[in-house]
Amino acid sequence: MCSLMNSPTQTSAWTRLATLSEDLQDEDFRISHLFDESANRFERFSLAHDSLLLDYSKNFLTDESLATLIDLARECHLPAAIEAMFGGEKINRSEDRAVLHVALRDPDTPKQEVLDTLARMETLVEAINSGEWKGYSGKRIANVVNIGIGGSDLGPALVSDALSAFSSGSVDVHFVSNVDPVHLRNTLSSLNPETTLFIIASKSFTTLETHQNGKAARQWLLNSAQNEEAIARHFIAVTTNESAATEFGILGDKLLPLWDWVGGRYSLWSAIGLPIALAIGMDNFRALLAGAHAMDRHFQEADLEENMPVLMALVSVFYNGFFDCHSTAVVPYSQQLNRLPAYLQQLCMESLGKAVDIQGRQVATNSGEVIWGTPGTNGQHSYFQLLHQGTQFVPVDFIAFANAATVGDEEQHRHLLANCFAQSLALMNGHTVAHEPHKHVPGNRPSNTLLIEALNPYNLGSLIALYEHKVFVQSVIWNINAFDQWGVQLGKLLSGRLFDALSGEAPTQDFDASTRGLIDLARKWNGRK
Ligand code: F6P
């Protein structure tokens, strides 16, 4: 790993990339000219794996810059880092943990507990979806509410939403994450406690939001059931913290395990994925795992030059290092992938938002860009103006499915696809109108396109695993730990002190004048002063 050295900036590849990037940013250089110079650029700068094609040809990449980026990966010992992760080494050093989410989707997993848990999930899904599982009044479960946040929410919510066409039709799945009481209240407003099952999803079982919402959900149920015994029929927990879940009243076969070698934002493949399995059935959940596993195999086995996550990561490292890139837009041309950007924000920004390297030194290059986006075509009518004519350098990942989800929708879907391809074309080529500078579209703006044959569990599993591994490669090159999130802890700690101050149970004089002023005004408007 780069940790054996000081920083990627000390490699010889980095020095060469600095020179090459200057040439690529010369005002006469055009990405479109690369296509004029090479008739088979698309073939040479695209890569297929299963039913997923990555077209990375519309980038500031020449044969030389690409080869140098591959050299950078080698100088940073990427192959050894990949083996270390798959081999279960404790690469999350600040928490002394292995990182083995890949073992969750490996049919030959060395972890028997993974297979046991999948079998337990299957039993639960069968019982709930068949109606054999009854609520406290003897009615079958109609609605499942997942209470969790961050990795215990975003992945399952993304996948359940994206694959709604694969719904088993047995239960409706809902997601509550925000400590804002409105989230739970609005969700429960149309639900019947007799037919509602809650999943408390929390790796730690100490997360404030989940704790508060879990308590409120428990009370909502008890208000109706008037009997503590109802808890066992209406709550399931997924956690590493068995004792806290037991204290809540969830135990036995209602308590599914999680392990410290699964990071929260990498956990949708574990029992944290139970709401997905309930929504789409266990066979489809297994297909999701199979798609992710296929991407794992590709990542572990393909040469760096033909390795999809590696190529995506290297392009991003290039732009962050040399093109003044601070953000990447991810634009799925798919309403079903509405939640993908939010999911990727946690995956990428919680993993890569670090300013010190593994040895605790300041990183020497830009690392961890801002990830943002919304589905196309909607984005075209809001922020695309900035992408086309603004001053920022924002590479775009376009994601599209070749086929419509529903028979009969082919023509409208073709409009969707046409718009997707039109945007990457316009970003690259631009448009010049003589004497009308306001109409000038500069072009020369890079993008990747991920074209996928169809949206199904297998392909979605591959897509998500692709981004997971892309993030890992970036972290290896930047020599940072992608698997901790110490920055998040500070806010959690402070919110407890602020809560006490707002409640009038702790003095405010230790806070700065701004925080004190806000507390005082909120208390006044609360009628507490
Ligand atoms: O936001 C910080 C974080 O620790 C995430 O990494 C995690 O996914 C989320 O909180 C929820 O944590 P838990 O599953 O322990 O409730």
Side-chain angles (χ1 to χ4, degrees):
M1 287 206 260
C2 261
S3 53
L4 300 173
M5 315 179 15
N6 285 322
S7 134
T9 58
Q10 297 190 340
T11 60
S12 68
W14 196 268
T15 311
R16 279 181 284 137
L17 286 168
T19 310
L20 291 170
S21 66
E22 272 174 32
D23 297 344
L24 294 170
Q25 288 172 87
D26 186 282
E27 62 179 278
D28 292 332
F29 180 87
R30 306 285 302 173
I31 299 173
S32 55
H33 291 169
L34 297 172
F35 286 85
D36 302 335
E37 288 160 15
S38 165
N40 63 350
R41 180 169 172 83
F42 173 72
E43 286 73 21
R44 292 192 301 116
F45 289 83
S46 66
L47 180 68
H49 171 69
D50 279 350
S51 315
L52 203 154
L53 175 116
L54 167 68
D55 172 15
Y56 59 103
S57 60
K58 293 188 180 91
N59 276 298
F60 287 95
L61 282 182
T62 56
D63 289 330
E64 198 180 357
S65 58
L66 181 58
T68 313
L69 284 165
I70 299 287
D71 288 345
L72 174 68
R74 291 222 167 81
E75 282 192 75
C76 289
H77 305 278
L78 177 62
I82 295 172
E83 281 322 301
M85 179 175 75
F86 278 89
E89 283 180 33
K90 292 191 171 175
I91 59 171
N92 177 359
R93 297 196 205 169
S94 71
E95 296 177 316
D96 195 30
R97 290 175 182 169
V99 175
L100 271 173
H101 47 279
V102 292
L104 298 169
R105 52 223 192 187
D106 180 353
D108 300 316
T109 182
K111 303 246 177 223
Q112 183 57 35
E113 60 267 48
V114 168
L115 300 175
D116 295 345
T117 305
L118 278 170
R120 288 186 55 197
M121 284 170 71
E122 184 137 33
T123 307
L124 285 172
V125 170
E126 172 60 25
I128 295 162
N129 286 2
S130 68
E132 180 196 327
W133 177 306
K134 301 278 194 278
Y136 74 84
S137 66
K139 294 184 181 157
R140 66 179 287 164
I141 299 300
N143 288 282
V144 174
V145 180
N146 187 80
I147 296 180
I149 198 163
S152 301
D153 167 71
L154 292 163
L158 158 68
V159 176
S160 307
D161 228 37
L163 298 177
S164 61
F166 294 79
S167 165
S168 59
S170 310
V171 291
D172 284 334
V173 176
H174 312 263
F175 292 87
V176 172
S177 51
N178 200 333
V179 75
D180 183 341
V182 172
H183 200 178
L184 182 68
R185 198 173 286 286
N186 284 354
T187 305
L188 297 185
S189 65
S190 58
L191 305 188
N192 176 357
E194 293 172 68
T195 57
T196 299
L197 174 72
F198 294 96
I199 301 172
I200 309 287
S202 177
K203 183 176 168 183
S204 61
F205 223 81
T206 58
T207 303
L208 172 85
E209 292 88 337
T210 304
H211 182 70
Q212 290 295 321
N213 282 323
K215 230 170 53 179
R218 191 177 196 277
Q219 195 52 53
W220 179 78
L221 177 79
L222 291 178
N223 288 347
S224 165
Q226 301 290 328
N227 185 348
E228 292 259 340
E229 281 174 17
I231 302 291
R233 292 174 178 235
H234 290 269
F235 279 87
I236 289 174
V238 185
T239 187
T240 57
N241 190 348
E242 206 177 302
S243 58
T246 306
E247 202 173 305
F248 187 94
I250 309 172
L251 54 163
D253 60 346
K254 319 284 172 6
L255 209 169
L256 292 168
L258 196 60
W259 309 280
D260 72 357
W261 42 266
V262 181
R265 52 192 172 275
Y266 300 87
S267 65
L268 75 90
W269 324 98
S270 70
I272 290 287
L274 181 63
I276 304 172
L278 287 166
I280 64 174
M282 205 61 197
D283 287 350
N284 283 322
F285 185 71
R286 286 186 193 279
L288 180 84
L289 300 184
H293 177 66
M295 184 54 73
D296 295 341
R297 291 272 65 78
H298 166 78
F299 178 51
Q300 198 181 8
E301 289 164 10
D303 291 341
L304 298 184
E305 292 83 352
E306 290 176 14
N307 195 310
M308 212 178 272
V310 171
L311 291 168
M312 282 181 75
L314 289 176
V315 173
S316 170
V317 165
F318 195 33
Y319 291 156
N320 275 281
F322 302 100
F323 287 72
D324 200 26
C325 170
H326 299 282
S327 85
T328 293
V330 179
V331 188
Y333 273 68
S334 162
Q335 195 56 36
Q336 295 289 140
L337 294 190
N338 193 20
R339 291 178 185 253
L340 182 69
Y343 167 82
L344 291 177
Q345 281 178 333
Q346 190 201 13
L347 176 66
C348 304
M349 294 163 75
E350 207 171 64
S351 299
L352 300 171
K354 320 281 162 73
V356 293
D357 68 10
I358 286 177
Q359 287 77 22
R361 296 166 302 209
Q362 199 66 28
V363 294
T365 176
N366 270 351
S367 63
E369 76 268 55
V370 173
I371 301 292
W372 59 281
T374 55
T377 56
N378 294 7
Q380 290 173 213
H381 301 274
S382 57
Y383 53 80
F384 265 71
Q385 167 61 34
L386 182 145
L387 299 182
H388 287 296
Q389 287 190 307
T391 55
Q392 308 260 340
F393 181 89
V394 186
V396 183
D397 280 358
F398 291 98
I399 301 171
F401 298 99
N403 288 298
T406 311
V407 177
D409 284 350
E410 291 82 4
E411 188 180 329
Q412 196 163 330
H413 186 83
R414 232 169 10 253
H415 280 297
L416 179 68
L417 215 48
N419 270 275
C420 176
F421 297 170
Q423 289 304 314
S424 63
L425 183 63
L427 284 169
M428 177 171 76
N429 284 351
H431 181 58
T432 301
V433 181
H435 314 304
E436 291 191 283
H438 56 283
K439 290 189 181 165
H440 176 66
V441 180
N444 221 19
R445 303 198 166 185
S447 65
N448 291 316
T449 299
L450 281 160
L451 182 61
I452 305 169
E453 190 179 343
L455 175 55
N456 58 38
Y458 184 94
N459 290 342
L460 183 61
S462 292
L463 176 69
I464 296 172
L466 166 63
Y467 274 99
E468 284 181 347
H469 295 319
K470 175 196 169 190
V471 166
F472 176 65
V473 175
Q474 287 171 291
S475 77
V476 172
I477 308 287
W478 288 327
N479 190 27
I480 56 184
N481 184 349
F483 303 106
D484 61 8
Q485 57 284 321
W486 293 99
V488 181
Q489 306 306 327
L490 177 62
K492 288 186 187 174
L493 273 178
L494 287 177
S495 86
R497 278 181 63 201
L498 267 295
F499 178 80
D500 291 345
L502 276 167
S503 308
E505 282 162 14
T508 58
Q509 73 264 18
D510 289 347
F511 293 113
D512 61 89
S514 159
T515 309
R516 223 169 36 234
L518 294 169
I519 294 171
D520 288 347
L521 185 59
R523 281 178 55 79
K524 185 174 151 204
W525 281 347
N526 286 166
R528 285 170 157 269
K529 204 170 184 178

